[in-house]
Amino acid sequence: MKTIAAKRQIARYIDLFDDNINQRVNIIVEHFRSTVMQELGGQAKAMVIIGIPPRRR
């Protein structure tokens, strides 16, 4: 059980690592700008929501 808990904590840390969050946000925003916004005639807004690390709450 300790090994499973440790693996989960490591995976959570990696998911919430600042560089990883920045990369994911950049991908999402670029997809929105290049695809979605044009499909909606430039009349679109977006909000990117991510998990917030406990230390930042």
Side-chain angles (χ1 to χ4, degrees):
M1 292 302 271
K2 291 181 183 180
T3 304
I4 293 170
K7 287 180 182 179
R8 285 183 184 155
Q9 285 181 338
I10 291 170
R12 182 174 165 89
Y13 176 78
I14 291 170
D15 282 345
L16 298 177
F17 193 65
D18 288 341
D19 291 337
N20 291 342
I21 292 171
N22 289 336
Q23 287 176 357
R24 283 187 283 191
V25 168
N26 286 336
I27 291 168
I28 292 167
V29 169
E30 186 55 38
H31 169 72
F32 177 80
R33 284 183 183 160
S34 66
T35 306
V36 177
M37 211 166 101
Q38 288 155 357
E39 288 180 8
L40 299 175
Q43 301 294 316
K45 294 181 180 179
M47 181 182 298
V48 178
I49 303 195
I50 59 169
I52 300 173
R55 68 182 189 279
R56 295 188 181 171
R57 287 186 182 164

